[in-house]
Amino acid sequence: MAHPEADLLPELQEIDLYDPERYRTSSQHPAWARLREQAPMWAQHTPDGDRFWSATRHRDVAAILMDDKRFSSEYGTILAVAKGDIAGGRTINLMDQPHHARVRLPVMRTMSTRVSRERKERVREHVRRAVGDAFSSGEVVDVAAFAIHLPLAAIGDVIGIPRELWPQVPRLAMAGVAPGDPTYSAGGESHTLNNAHLELFSMFSELIQERRRNRRDDVISALLDIDFGGRPLSDHELLLNCYSFAMGAITTTPQVASHLILELCRQPHIWRRLRADPGLVPSAVEEALRWASPTNHLMRRVLAPVRVAGVQLEPGELVCTWVASANRDSAVFDDPDTFDPGRTPNPHLAFGVGAHRCIGGPPAQVVLAVLLEEMLDAVQEMSLAGEVTHMRSNFINGITRLPVLFRPRPGGGAAVGAASMASSR
Ligand code: HEM
């Protein structure tokens, strides 16, 4: 895809980064390109009248996310809760130091790079079950529908969610993040959200009770044993943290798979290049992360006076860092609007950066690599087979429908997976 031409970029007064509907019907990349160029810190109001600044350049986004002393996560990190998140201070992603480290450090070991790579073949078995015969049936498959099952293949065991519950959890999680999207909404937005919360919280509540009796090597058990400044996490804090891990995984990982497959359909030469050189799988996964940037933005609240891109910010102000924009910044990436599966280095910010950098990055990278390896083994060619629909959300860059026809590769083999596994070490 070519770089958006300057005369096709919207004027500043036409830009609205809040309106969720715009993300469903069009790309915001031209707007972000205009802002990076002309207004790298740009103020807008939410429909409720709360002003937020938008940072769109890679260097400003990275600087803000790295500076957790002056930019707080406790107030809330998504625009939808610009009035303040009720879970603030009580769950890992919405905590400042020292509370944050008390939760993060004990849990990290369950999904480190080493542990995640060691689990790769188990993840492959789960992926095969989740994908079924999607690649070989010769029928049109909705990739978005099977991709939502990838996160639990990667991390269901690690969080501690029993396998019999894996089929229903992803849809509830998606309803939790996009209750207004027609794909997940049932009986209205607030009913959908309440129902998703009720179901997920009661599932985790039972699992927590069970782990109180029998600890295992999983996230739920690790959370139960946390020393949270001289006390354990309360029942409510435990629930909120379990929810954060499930949501963190399920709302993001599938989007990388869907955006990658969409691009492979649109640009068959990328697929041919990957087939010719399966050693590109690890860099292709990183490029897919940059390209998809599943979380469009991460919000922070200013704690102390600070200047960003010439703008003076005062305590209490809200700043939205647009990760999706930073990942297309030509100051950092050559040809940022070109999907290059061999791109190295690739300093994308899809997992964030700094103290809150995604804790689930390693398992996400493993499951995406496995998916691509499985496709290389099984698929000859693929093509779009219907309309693609996007999620109505300013937070998640989601695809809700992606009909694809996969043409199976005659007599697929195991050699491809082995080649790319060797190069990912
Ligand atoms: C491609 C997949 C993923 C993407 C793009 C992604 C993206 C992100 C980003 C951008 C952050 C930083 C949030 C912030 O700074 O406010 C984050 C944090 C987090 N992610 Fe992920 N995530 C992915 C997969 C996962 C998985 C598989 C898990 C499951 C364990 C997970 C759980 C979390 C948690 C718990 C946090 C909060 C970490 C902290 O505050 O210390 N994510 N993720």
Side-chain angles (χ1 to χ4, degrees):
M1 191 194 290
H3 185 72
E5 298 298 330
D7 54 357
L8 294 179
L9 301 182
E11 295 304 323
L12 288 178
Q13 65 272 16
E14 293 165 12
I15 294 175
D16 177 354
L17 295 183
Y18 188 91
D19 182 5
E21 187 62 17
R22 291 198 180 198
Y23 294 76
R24 192 177 71 78
T25 53
S26 58
S27 163
Q28 291 286 54
H29 282 292
W32 288 320
R34 171 67 83 202
L35 289 172
R36 286 194 301 273
E37 204 174 85
Q38 290 190 347
M41 280 294 274
W42 182 74
Q44 191 193 327
H45 289 81
T46 67
D48 285 340
D50 299 297
R51 188 173 78 161
F52 63 95
W53 288 95
S54 281
T56 42
R57 291 193 308 208
H58 189 284
R59 69 163 183 250
D60 300 327
V61 168
I64 292 166
L65 295 178
M66 293 290 289
D67 186 354
D68 63 335
K69 292 211 169 49
R70 284 185 291 191
F71 294 95
S72 167
S73 290
E74 285 206 6
Y75 180 80
T77 58
I78 61 173
L79 271 176
V81 290
K83 292 247 177 270
D85 195 319
I86 50 164
R90 295 192 281 181
T91 184
I92 178 167
N93 55 318
L94 303 178
M95 283 176 182
D96 294 338
Q97 307 308 340
H99 306 300
H100 172 253
R102 290 181 184 136
V103 177
R104 181 168 170 118
L105 298 180
V107 181
M108 260 174 94
R109 64 172 174 78
T110 62
M111 53 188 87
S112 66
T113 301
R114 183 182 57 78
V115 168
S116 302
R117 285 192 181 161
E118 283 170 6
R119 296 188 67 258
K120 187 168 185 177
E121 291 317 302
R122 212 171 327 151
V123 171
R124 190 182 304 281
E125 285 166 31
H126 296 327
V127 168
R128 284 186 179 156
R129 255 197 307 276
V131 171
D133 61 357
F135 299 143
S136 58
S137 69
E139 288 170 14
V140 173
V141 178
D142 182 0
V143 169
F146 81 62
I148 64 169
H149 297 288
L150 294 174
L152 290 184
I155 200 107
D157 296 328
V158 178
I159 295 180
I161 303 173
R163 277 177 219 176
E164 61 274 17
L165 300 178
W166 290 7
Q168 64 255 39
V169 172
R171 230 186 137 72
L172 293 170
M174 293 314 296
V177 78
D181 188 282
T183 315
Y184 312 111
S185 192
E189 187 163 339
S190 63
H191 178 265
T192 305
L193 186 64
N194 290 339
N195 184 55
H197 283 167
L198 187 70
E199 298 252 350
L200 289 170
F201 284 134
S202 47
M203 174 189 82
F204 278 122
S205 192
E206 279 178 30
L207 293 174
I208 289 167
Q209 295 320 319
E210 201 280 322
R211 290 303 188 285
R212 277 195 200 286
R213 296 187 293 272
N214 305 304
R215 295 286 198 279
R216 293 196 201 160
D217 185 16
D218 58 26
V219 170
I220 300 176
S221 302
L223 289 170
L224 277 165
D225 289 333
I226 278 171
D227 175 354
F228 197 56
R231 67 165 177 91
L233 291 173
S234 69
D235 284 355
H236 193 52
E237 288 161 345
L238 283 166
L239 271 178
L240 288 173
N241 278 283
C242 290
Y243 181 76
S244 291
F245 278 89
M247 295 299 279
I250 294 168
T251 59
T252 52
T253 320
Q255 306 313 334
V256 184
S258 291
H259 281 280
L260 169 65
I261 292 174
L262 175 58
E263 225 38 52
L264 294 174
C265 290
R266 285 181 173 156
Q267 304 192 63
H269 67 94
I270 301 176
W271 178 240
R272 286 195 293 274
R273 190 170 158 202
L274 281 168
R275 288 198 54 203
D277 184 1
L280 288 176
V281 165
S283 59
V285 167
E286 295 309 304
E287 182 68 340
L289 281 157
R290 181 186 79 87
W291 192 255
S293 295
T295 57
N296 281 320
H297 71 256
L298 301 170
M299 193 178 76
R300 297 293 190 258
R301 192 183 202 208
V302 178
L303 289 178
V306 57
R307 243 182 134 66
V308 182
V311 171
Q312 180 66 32
L313 301 172
E314 298 301 333
E317 295 206 72
L318 298 178
V319 184
C320 217
T321 62
W322 292 92
V323 167
S325 168
N327 283 342
R328 300 284 179 99
D329 187 342
S330 59
V332 174
F333 303 100
D334 291 338
D335 288 333
D337 297 301
T338 298
F339 187 107
D340 174 4
R343 188 183 290 277
T344 39
N346 191 343
H348 68 75
L349 300 176
F351 288 130
V353 65
H356 289 277
R357 184 181 200 274
C358 181
I359 195 169
Q365 284 161 323
V366 165
V367 77
L368 291 165
V370 165
L371 179 74
L372 200 43
E373 287 165 6
E374 292 296 302
M375 284 171 60
L376 285 167
D377 261 1
V379 176
Q380 180 86 15
E381 288 174 348
M382 66 201 92
S383 53
L384 271 182
E387 195 200 348
V388 180
T389 59
H390 293 264
M391 196 184 290
R392 189 181 180 281
S393 166
N394 59 23
F395 175 48
I396 296 292
N397 179 22
I399 292 181
T400 48
R401 183 170 179 270
L402 178 56
V404 173
L405 182 63
F406 293 100
R407 225 180 87 216
R409 185 179 149 189
V416 171
S420 97
M421 254 186 295
S423 70
S424 68
R425 281 191 187 121

